[in-house]
Structure formats: structure tokens, C-alpha cells
């Protein structure tokens, strides 16, 4: 049947009008979309959360409005929560265009029939629109909300809209987003919610103030159970699951924002200000345990004292625990100052690297003979912490005892500038006052270093000599540089591991459970900084104790203040069987039997040259001899080749004997002479000069004598006097400066023309030694009565 022409014309007009209306509607929508763009959250603004390596929040930073929000992705939320949320809020979410006409019609009919709202007609998209742009509950407000919902569906995918809800839905107070709510109310991430917990968080945004579990636990539980019943009725969850979930109580929790590794969190946030979720390398359990250790330990220290601790995984150089201040937020202790990265005087903590470099340079082996005696290095005269001297000492013992003079002597031979450059190349950048540079004092703390750089360097002792920058985030690239050879690192670590804990003897029984720890302490000038650093097979740990403002803490030093905290921290770390076992030495390391005073291998053909045998670790098979005297005026060679006659008398140049023979003498360093035993002196004694032979000058050092008291004298106070026994002594036969020691402690350095005046406060035997720079010495022993 043919359609009449007037109907065709009418239908054409209607189609044109419909097309024009559609076009106008589309243009209007586009214009409104341009004029009123979506008020989407600024991804570069808002709150920030710093996470541990397992995504546990360490510290959260509220946004400008004081809102706490932990950014989360859709795949980081439990499917149970998503199921409960969509079932409760919008079962047709993935099917409607942002508005559900049937739900709106139902809600409108109920409003007309009952005169009040019985059920809502809002979709989840409309709720997101209201969260992003709050509207009044008037008809106009609802219309705007509806239009915003359509606009959201136009611009965003369903998953993007759902993600906006997950991150911005209100959960009571200043908490927004399911992740923040899950941590705040339940103490766990949203990905690990149970059925009951998922239902609880699904209902909370409907009335966040009335249903807060920390304030209205009973009401929150009643609403949760209603949703659980709906999940069963709609056959989303089975009856047994719902029954078990309904038995769970809603536990009220005190809302406290997380505050672990607070100063690290500030540091990471400052480094990445545009990131809202920052993952660190921190182990949450270790961080909490070590923070508690530091806080408890700090309570026993003087006021205004702070502490810092850094724990690193040797295999990755990732930081596992970061305590920048022992009392974050404590104004008296300057708890806002991050002492992990504050430059401070490192004390003696650089000494292991100096000994390692000396090993690599072939200057020493582990038992090289060094001399701990008063010495001058130009205008620099170092002394030991306790003011005493030890005389001849092995390199390993000198390092373990942290003796200053042997370390300065080694640095003088290695070169301060070269040593500092080697450390800088490996990531340990020393800091100097304006206009200053590397000098001999750096090995005793005359420079600045950061705890994190020291820890990165100490890790080299268990990483085959490779040091590096510690890593604060898992994605941070590994930056490592060679500090020592693998062999030198192994020897230095073994030297430090042999150091027993204070109060423990080296032969103390050890069941084998303790981790092998190579440790070193340090104290800066004026008791300003106390350090303790240690490294095990798996971990490297550094501790600093002091006052952030740099004021002294008298009587506080590394071994007393920082070392106990280091041991406490090490003992609280996870253990494995290999931690207590010794690592096999590299192929470049071997053991050799060496002899003092020459420092080389034992020679069975000349046993008289070996006055003391020692077992030494050597590098690449090299046996460096005992270091020569720095001052040529002392003596020229440790091994003297002499000519003697049949009676064993020394022949000087030009003096002949028909039956002469060769005689070799191993001599000790001149500065070690006062500390030698009688047998050692006798073994190194020169044969007497044959009468008639010209003086060869080898006996010049034996001419010094102490005058003013007879050997073996007894001293006591004068009757009725309160003054201690007093002596006035002179060094006869000396020229230039004379160093006076009492019981190994340097008391004075005086010109030979001046007398040595001393009051003997302590009773008992007193050994008085006078030494010259040329190695001449004299010794006087007296007895002081109480």
C-alpha cells in the first residue's frame, strides 16, 4: 500500500526536526561539557602515603584540607569488597550509562506513595559525581548530579569511575578511600579483607558519621549484618560464609595515623612531591622493632641526646630500617633533625678502609709490626684515646684497639689526598671546612661524614670490597663501586670479627648461634659524636649517638654509648645458620708464618732473626717487610749485616781479622725499644766493637741516662704533707726534644735542657721512660708507697 504523499512529507519534516533537535542537544552537551568540565581530582595534589616494602603504610601526610587518603588501584582491593559494594550500591553498575531509569522511577514512586524517600535511585556513578562536586538535595541539585554522572560515563571507563569511588568515598572524619579506612579501622590493607570486613566497609560511606566503628560499633555491626543477609539472599555468598561473617564482632579501634620511619618518609616525599603513594625498601617489622630499641635505649642517656640507626641488606644495599632520630617530635632532643644524613666527625670509623688500602698497596699484612709510640708528623702529634702507648703491635691488633699513631703513620705513607679520593670514588664523600682539604687528621675524625655513607662503605667488607650508595626505594638502581680488593676486604673483616664483645674473652664458649660481626667504634673530638658500625654476612648496621646541635656529651664515646645499642640491634635481627659460619677466603688470601721484627717469613737457616712468630693473612702471596723508620736519622735498615771476629766482636770498616765471619742482626724499630722485653733486647743487641777498631756509630743510641733518682727507689709522701711524692728528672746525653712517659702514658715533651717534674698520685710500681726522636731511650723504675 502506497503511503500518501502528505504523510511522507510530514514524516520527513519530523525526521528533520528530530535530527536538528538531536544535533542541537549534542551541541549543547558539547558546549556544556566545555563550559563545565569534570571536576576531577588533581593527580598531583592531595594526601601522600609512604609505604614499607610490603605496602604497609609507614607515614601518611594529609592534604591541605587535612584529609587522609591512601591511593589504591582496583587490583589492590579485595574482590570481596568490590562484590559487596556493587551488590549494596549498584548491581547494574557495569550495564547502565551512569543513570538507572528504573531505579529513579522506583524511588520517585515510593516518594509519592509514602511522602518520604524509601530507597535511593542514585547509581554508583551518581555518588562519585556527588563526591567530586557536592550538590544540594533539591530537584535542581539532583539534576546537576545526574548530568555530572552522564558526563563521567562519557569521559571515563567504568573501572576508572569505580577507582574514583575507592579513593574518595567518605569513611568518617578526615578519612577518605577504602585503603585509608581499612588501615584506620581494621589495621590491614584493603586487599586482605574478610567477608565481614568487606561488608562493614561497603556500608560505611552511606552514613560515615553515624556508622564509624570506633564510635558506634553496635550500629555499624547492625548495618553490616543487613548487607551480609542481602548477599545471602541474592546468592552472592553462601549461608555458611554469611553465618561465619556475622559472628565476627566489630572491634572499636583508636584512630592513629601511622608514624614509622618518619624522617625517611619526609625525605622521600620531598624527593618525589608529585607522587601520592611512595614505596620504600623498609621492612615494617624490623623498622618497628629497631625504633623501639632506640627509644628504650635513649631513655637511659642524658637529656638532649639523640640517636640514629641505619640497617642495610648487604645483597641489595636496600635500607631495611631507618631511624633518623631517636625521639621524633621531641623538641628538646631536636627530633626533627635527620642524623642519618647529617655530616658529623666520623672519629676512628675510617680506619678499616685505611688498613684495607694499605693491604692492597702491599704495605702490610695482617700481622705487620707497627709501632705505637709518641711520634711527630710535622706539626701534628697524635695520641691515643687513653693517652697510653703500646709500643710494638700487630696491624690487626692496632686496628682492633683503634690505636691512633699507627693509623696516622699508615695514612702518611698512603697519602691523605689519595685515601680521601678512594673513599669518594666508592661513595663515601668526606666533607671539609671551607678552605681545608685532606690531611693526616682525617683518620682520627678531622673531617665530616654521613651515617648512610659509612654504612654503604662498611657493607663492602661483606660484599667482596664493593661499596655503594644505600637504596631507599626498591626501584632505585644499584650503584656500587670498588673500595677494596676482595682479598683486602676479607682480611679486614676477619681482623674486626676477631674483636670480642666488651667484657667477653676471645676464648669464651660460643654455641655458634651468634652472627659473626665485624665491628668498629669511633668517637669525635670533644665527645660530640659516638659511632658504632658493624657488618654480618647479611646485614650492615650503623649507629650514631650524640647531640644534633654538636655540643659535647662528656664521658660518652663509641665503645660505651653507641656499641651496646649496635649489639642489641644485631641480636634482634633475623638469623640463619650461615650467619655464624666463617666465609672461605678468596683465592688471593693465604696464611703464612711470619717473624718479628723483620716481618718476613721464618728462615730455618737463620733462626736468630725470628724473635717472635705470628700467623698472618697475606694478600697475593706478598710478604711486605716491617715498614722502615720514617725519619732517616734513626737507623737505616732493620737487618744489619756485620763482620765479627772469632770471639764474636764487631769489626768496623777498615778493621780486619784473619778469622772474620758474617753475622746478621734483626733490629726492632727504634721507637719500639722502650717496650721490648729483656730477651728481645738481648736478641737484637749488637756485638761489642773489637778493641782497636774505629767507632762505627752504631752504639750512639745507647748513651741516654735518667738522672734524679736511683733505679728501684721508693717514694713516699713527706711527713705531714698532702702533696704526692714528687720527682725532678733529667735526660742526660740527650739533645733536642725528650718525650717523658709514665707507665706507657705520654706525660710531657720537653727540651733536653729542662727537667721533668712529676707528682705520683697513684701508688704502686712506676715505669718512667725518656725517649728522643732518634730512638734513644732510658728507663727508670721506682716504687710509690700509699
Amino acid at each position: 500500500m502506497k503511503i500518501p504523499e502528505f504523510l511522507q512529507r510530514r514524516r520527513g519534516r519530523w525526521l528533520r526536526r528530530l535530527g536538528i533537535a538531536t544535533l542541537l542537544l549534542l551541541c549543547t552537551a558539547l558546549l556544556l561539557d566545555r563550559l563545565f568540565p569534570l571536576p576531577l581530582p588533581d593527580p598531583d595534589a592531595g594526601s601522600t602515603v609512604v609505604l614499607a616494602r610490603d605496602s604497609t603504610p609507614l607515614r601518611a601526610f594529609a592534604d591541605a584540607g587535612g584529609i587522609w587518603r591512601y591511593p589504591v588501584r582496583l587490583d589492590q582491593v579485595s574482590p570481596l569488597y568490590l562484590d559487596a559494594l556493587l551488590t549494596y550500591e549498584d548491581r547494574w553498575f557495569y550495564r547502565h550509562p551512569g543513570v538507572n531509569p528504573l531505579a529513579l522511577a522506583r524511588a520517585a514512586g515510593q516518594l509519592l506513595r509514602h511522602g518520604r524517600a524509601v530507597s535511593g535511585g542514585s547509581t554508583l556513578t551518581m555518588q562519585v559525581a556527588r563526591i567530586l562536586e557536592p550538590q544540594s538535595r533539591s530537584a535542581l541539585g539532583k539534576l546537576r548530579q545526574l548530568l555530572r554522572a552522564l558526563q563521567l560515563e562519557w569521559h571515563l571507563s567504568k573501572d576508572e569511575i569505580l577507582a574514583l569511588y575507592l579513593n574518595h568515598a567518605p569513611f568518617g572524619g578526615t578519612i577518605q578511600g577504602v585503603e585509608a579506612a581499612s588501615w584506620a579501622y581494621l589495621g590491614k590493607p584493603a586487599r586482605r579483607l574478610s567477608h565481614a570486613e568487606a561488608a562493614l566497609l561497603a556500608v560505611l560511606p552511606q552514613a560515615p558519621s553515624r556508622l564509624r566503628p570506633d564510635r558506634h560499633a553496635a550500629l555499624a555491626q547492625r548495618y553490616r549484618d543487613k548487607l551480609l543477609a542481602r548477599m545471602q539472599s541474592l546468592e552472592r555468598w553462601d549461608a555458611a560464609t554469611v553465618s561465619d561473617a556475622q559472628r565476627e564482632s566489630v572491634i572499636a579501634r583508636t584512630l592513629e595515623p601511622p608514624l614509622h620511619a618518619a624522617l625517611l618518609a619526609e625525605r622521600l616525599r620531598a624527593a618525589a612531591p608529585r607522587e601520592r603513594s611512595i614505596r620504600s625498601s623498609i621492612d615494617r617489622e624490623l623498622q618497628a622493632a629497631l625504633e623501639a630499641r632506640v627509644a628504650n635505649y635513649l631513655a637511659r642517656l642524658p637529656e638532649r641526646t639523640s640517636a640514629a640507626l641505619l640497617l642495610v641488606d648487604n645483597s641489595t644495599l636496600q635500607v631495611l630500617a631507618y631511624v633518623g632520630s631517636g625521639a621524633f617530635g621531641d623538641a628538646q632532643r631536636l627530633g626533627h633533625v635527620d642524623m642519618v644524613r647529617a655530616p658529623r666527625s666520623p672519629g676512628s670509623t675510617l680506619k678499616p678502609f685505611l688498613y684495607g688500602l694499605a693491604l692492597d698497596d702491599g704495605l702490610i699484612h695482617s700481622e705487620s709490626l707497627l709501632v705505637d709510640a709518641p711520634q711527630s708528623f710535622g706539626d701534628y702529634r697524635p695520641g691515643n684515646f687513653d693517652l697510653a702507648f703500646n709500643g710494638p703491635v700487630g696491624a690487626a691488633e692496632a686496628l682492633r684497639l683503634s690505636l691512633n699513631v699507627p693509623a696516622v703513620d699508615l695514612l702518611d705513607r698512603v697519602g691523605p689526598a689519595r685515601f680521601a679520593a678512594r673513599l669518594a670514588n666508592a661513595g663515601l664523600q668526606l666533607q671539609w671546612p671551607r678552605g681545608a682539604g685532606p690531611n693526616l687528621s682525617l683518620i682520627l675524625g678531622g673531617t665530616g661524614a654521613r651515617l648512610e655513607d659509612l654504612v654503604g662503605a662498611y657493607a663492602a667488607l661483606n660484599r667482596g670490597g664493593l661499596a655503594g650508595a644505600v637504596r631507599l626505594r626498591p626501584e632505585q638502581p644499584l650503584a656500587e663501586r670498588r673500595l677494596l680488593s676482595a682479598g683486602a676486604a676479607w682480611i679486614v673483616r676477619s681482623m674486626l670479627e676477631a674483636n670480642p664483645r666488651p667484657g667477653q674473652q676471645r676464648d669464651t664458649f660460643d654455641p655458634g648461634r651468634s652472627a659473626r660481626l665485624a665491628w668498629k667504634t669511633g668517637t669525635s673530638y670533644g665527645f660530640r659524636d659516638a659511632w658504632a658500625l658493624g657488618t654480618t654476612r647479611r646485614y650492615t648496621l650503623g649507629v650514631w649517638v650524640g647531640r644534633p646541635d654538636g655540643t659535647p656529651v662528656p664521658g660518652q664515646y663509641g665503645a660505651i654509648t653507641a656499641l651496646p645499642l649496635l649489639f642489641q640491634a644485631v641480636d634482634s635481627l633475623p638469623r640463619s645458620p650461615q650467619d655464624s659460619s666463617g666465609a672461605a677466603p678468596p683465592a688471593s688470601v693465604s696464611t703464612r708464618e711470619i717473624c718479628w721484627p723483620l716481618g718476613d717469613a721464618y728462615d730455618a737457616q737463620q733462626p736468630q732473626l725470628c724473635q717472635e712468630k705470628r700467623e698472618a693473612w697475606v694478600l697475593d702471596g706478598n710478604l711486605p717487610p716491617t715498614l722502615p723508620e720514617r725519619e732517616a736519622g734513626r737507623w737505616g735498615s732493620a737487618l744489619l749485616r756485620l763482620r765479627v771476629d772469632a770471639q764474636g766482636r764487631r769489626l768496623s770498616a777498615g778493621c780486619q781479622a784473619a778469622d772474620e765471619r758474617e753475622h746478621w742482626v734483626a733490629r726492632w724499630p727504634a721507637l719500639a725499644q722502650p717496650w721490648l722485653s729483656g730477651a728481645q733486647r738481648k736478641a737484637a743487641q749488637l756485638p761489642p766493637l773489637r778493641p782497636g777498631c774505629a767507632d762505627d756509630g752504631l752504639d750512639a743510641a745507647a748513651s741516654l741516662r735518667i738522672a734524679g733518682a736511683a733505679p728501684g727507689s721508693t717514694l713516699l709522701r713527706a711527713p705531714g704533707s698532702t702533696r704526692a711524692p714528687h720527682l725532678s728528672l733529667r735526660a742526660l746525653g740527650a739533645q733536642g726534644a725528650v718525650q717523658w712517659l709514665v707507665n706507657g702514658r705520654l706525660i710531657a715533651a720537653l727540651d733536653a735542657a729542662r727537667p721533668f717534674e712529676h707528682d705520683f698520685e697513684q701508688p704502686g710500681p712506676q715505669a718512667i721512660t725518656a725517649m728522643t726522636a732518634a730512638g734513644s731511650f732510658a728507663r727508670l723504675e721506682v716504687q710509690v708507697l700509699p
Side-chain angles (χ1 to χ4, degrees):
M1 177 178 169
K2 186 178 180 181
I3 300 175
E5 184 176 347
F6 76 94
L7 290 178
Q8 292 181 4
R9 288 196 302 271
R10 183 179 296 177
R11 184 175 66 175
R13 285 196 300 270
W14 278 107
L15 288 175
R16 284 194 300 274
R17 291 172 183 171
L18 181 60
I20 292 171
T22 303
L23 182 60
L24 288 174
L25 183 61
L26 182 60
C27 290
T28 301
L30 288 172
L31 180 62
L32 291 174
D33 185 63
R34 288 294 186 90
L35 293 176
F36 303 97
L38 276 173
L40 295 176
D42 183 358
D44 295 330
S47 58
T48 300
V49 61
V50 178
L51 308 171
R53 65 196 313 167
D54 63 352
S55 298
T56 304
L58 294 173
R59 184 180 180 185
F61 298 89
D63 64 12
I67 299 299
W68 301 94
R69 185 186 305 111
Y70 301 171
V72 68
R73 300 191 309 270
L74 207 60
D75 60 354
Q76 295 174 321
V77 177
S78 168
L80 297 177
Y81 173 76
L82 298 178
D83 193 6
L85 173 66
L86 295 179
T87 301
Y88 182 66
E89 295 286 0
D90 192 350
R91 284 186 289 162
W92 309 103
F93 173 71
Y94 280 100
R95 300 182 184 179
H96 62 64
V99 177
N100 189 336
L102 296 178
L104 287 176
R106 184 185 67 247
Q110 292 172 342
L111 179 62
L112 292 174
R113 186 178 310 115
H114 301 284
R116 60 182 177 85
V118 177
S119 64
S122 296
T123 63
L124 197 63
T125 307
M126 293 174 66
Q127 293 185 44
V128 171
R130 186 173 64 245
I131 291 171
L132 297 180
E133 188 179 56
Q135 301 287 347
S136 66
R137 295 189 176 276
S138 64
L140 182 59
K142 282 291 183 182
L143 176 60
R144 288 175 177 171
Q145 181 183 350
L146 186 148
L147 292 175
R148 284 297 193 190
L150 295 174
Q151 191 179 15
L152 278 168
E153 295 278 353
W154 188 357
H155 285 278
L156 303 179
S157 68
K158 290 289 187 178
D159 286 349
E160 289 173 329
I161 295 171
L162 183 56
L164 284 173
Y165 182 89
L166 297 179
N167 282 283
H168 295 274
F171 281 86
T174 58
I175 299 172
Q176 286 188 3
V178 65
E179 184 73 2
S182 183
W183 281 108
Y185 296 122
L186 305 173
K188 60 167 59 177
R191 69 175 183 274
R192 289 168 40 202
L193 296 175
S194 67
H195 290 78
E197 293 163 342
L200 173 66
L201 294 186
V203 301
L204 255 179
Q206 284 302 306
S209 297
R210 293 193 304 115
L211 301 180
R212 283 182 57 168
D214 61 322
R215 295 181 180 178
H216 310 290
L219 186 60
Q221 183 165 338
R222 189 160 71 247
Y223 273 73
R224 180 205 69 179
D225 290 347
K226 287 182 179 179
L227 174 55
L228 289 172
R230 183 185 298 182
M231 298 298 289
Q232 179 181 347
S233 66
L234 294 176
E235 298 183 351
R236 301 296 303 175
W237 296 344
D238 60 61
T241 297
V242 169
S243 177
D244 289 342
Q246 288 175 334
R247 292 192 184 97
E248 289 188 26
S249 298
V250 173
I251 306 298
R253 289 171 49 92
T254 300
L255 300 187
E256 293 182 358
L259 194 62
H260 291 288
L263 290 172
L264 171 64
E266 285 186 3
R267 178 176 178 177
L268 294 179
R269 184 193 183 203
R274 299 171 68 88
E275 291 189 45
R276 303 277 66 84
S277 179
I278 303 173
R279 187 182 303 275
S280 72
S281 61
I282 294 296
D283 183 301
R284 170 64 175 76
E285 293 184 0
L286 284 176
Q287 178 71 30
L290 293 178
E291 282 183 352
R293 288 275 189 187
V294 174
N296 292 336
Y297 188 79
L298 199 60
R300 305 196 299 266
L301 297 180
E303 293 181 353
R304 297 166 51 206
T305 304
S306 186
L309 180 149
L310 190 68
L311 175 67
V312 168
D313 184 320
N314 289 335
S315 62
T316 63
L317 288 181
Q318 289 187 5
V319 173
L320 303 180
Y322 186 116
V323 184
S325 170
F328 178 73
D330 187 330
Q332 187 181 32
R333 297 184 187 270
L334 299 182
H336 63 283
V337 180
D338 187 353
M339 298 309 299
V340 167
R341 51 177 176 163
R344 302 301 289 249
S345 167
S348 296
T349 59
L350 302 179
K351 288 177 180 175
F353 311 124
L354 173 62
Y355 280 79
L357 185 54
L359 282 162
D360 277 331
D361 284 352
L363 293 177
I364 61 171
H365 49 65
S366 71
E367 291 300 327
S368 286
L369 170 60
L370 305 177
V371 180
D372 181 36
Q375 294 191 57
S376 296
F377 301 83
D379 295 331
Y380 187 47
R381 296 179 58 84
N384 289 322
F385 185 80
D386 59 1
L387 304 179
F389 293 91
N390 298 266
V393 63
E397 187 176 8
L399 176 58
R400 288 193 291 266
L401 295 178
S402 197
L403 301 179
N404 290 342
V405 175
V408 174
D409 188 18
L410 278 180
L411 183 60
D412 187 46
R413 300 171 193 271
V414 168
R418 176 169 172 259
F419 179 60
R422 184 69 167 264
L423 294 178
N425 180 68
L428 207 174
Q429 186 73 49
L430 303 180
Q431 301 187 29
W432 310 94
R434 186 183 300 274
N439 55 64
L440 292 179
S441 71
L442 78 85
I443 201 59
L444 306 185
T447 182
R450 304 189 307 167
L451 176 59
E452 66 177 78
D453 296 336
L454 285 168
V455 169
Y458 267 79
L461 300 182
N462 266 299
R463 302 184 75 250
L466 290 175
V470 300
R471 303 166 63 196
L472 305 177
R473 303 186 63 175
E475 64 270 21
Q476 185 177 342
L478 177 63
E480 55 186 4
R481 301 292 290 273
R482 181 156 300 282
L483 175 57
L484 302 171
S485 69
W490 190 93
I491 293 174
V492 170
R493 188 187 75 226
S494 298
M495 292 159 68
L496 294 176
E497 283 180 346
N499 204 11
R501 296 189 179 194
Q504 182 184 69
Q505 299 298 321
R506 290 186 186 174
D507 57 354
T508 300
F509 175 72
D510 184 352
R513 292 191 293 268
S514 299
R516 293 175 67 91
L517 177 68
W519 59 271
K520 183 73 183 71
T521 62
T523 307
S524 67
Y525 296 114
F527 301 99
R528 288 175 170 82
D529 306 278
W531 301 85
L533 289 110
T535 178
T536 69
R537 296 293 180 269
R538 288 198 288 169
Y539 306 108
T540 297
L541 183 69
V543 169
W544 171 90
V545 177
R547 289 176 176 165
D549 61 4
T551 55
V553 187
Q556 304 296 318
Y557 53 96
I560 294 296
T561 308
L563 189 59
L565 179 56
L566 176 77
F567 287 139
Q568 289 181 21
V570 169
D571 290 343
S572 64
L573 297 177
R575 300 179 187 177
S576 64
Q578 63 268 26
D579 291 343
S580 58
S581 61
S588 59
V589 175
S590 59
T591 58
R592 295 288 299 274
E593 192 176 59
I594 63 98
C595 290
W596 279 9
L598 299 179
D600 53 13
Y602 174 73
D603 184 357
Q605 301 299 318
Q606 294 184 310
Q608 77 280 3
L609 301 181
C610 190
Q611 298 180 29
E612 185 176 331
K613 290 182 181 178
R614 294 195 169 213
E615 192 80 9
W617 294 108
V618 301
L619 190 60
D620 297 322
N622 295 326
L623 277 178
T626 298
L627 295 171
E629 300 276 7
R630 291 184 307 103
E631 297 184 16
R634 292 180 182 155
W635 48 272
S637 173
L639 181 62
L640 288 181
R641 175 185 173 276
L642 304 173
R643 293 180 302 116
V644 296
D645 62 15
Q647 288 75 39
R649 295 173 297 184
R650 189 170 82 247
L651 302 174
S652 60
C655 191
Q656 304 293 328
D659 51 357
E660 68 180 53
R661 57 184 172 83
E662 263 188 355
H663 180 74
W664 294 89
V665 177
R667 304 189 70 189
W668 293 82
L671 291 178
Q673 298 293 327
W675 286 269
L676 299 180
S677 66
Q680 289 171 328
R681 290 197 190 97
K682 184 177 180 180
Q685 188 174 0
L686 297 178
L689 188 65
R690 180 177 177 174
C693 290
D695 186 7
D696 55 10
L698 295 178
D699 295 323
S703 60
L704 191 63
R705 183 169 62 86
I706 297 177
S713 297
T714 299
L715 308 180
L716 69 163
R717 298 177 188 270
S721 174
T722 59
R723 183 180 179 182
H726 177 81
L727 280 180
S728 178
L729 306 174
R730 289 183 179 274
L732 303 181
Q735 293 183 351
V738 177
Q739 317 224 42
W740 293 91
L741 295 84
V742 177
N743 295 329
R745 295 176 181 269
L746 180 64
I747 304 300
L750 304 170
D751 186 87
R754 294 181 57 189
F756 170 59
E757 308 278 347
H758 186 67
D759 292 336
F760 292 86
E761 302 284 352
Q762 298 297 325
Q766 309 289 325
I768 306 163
T769 304
M771 293 181 59
T772 68
S776 300
F777 79 97
R779 187 180 182 91
L780 174 67
E781 294 186 358
V782 298
Q783 182 76 23
V784 176
L785 297 181

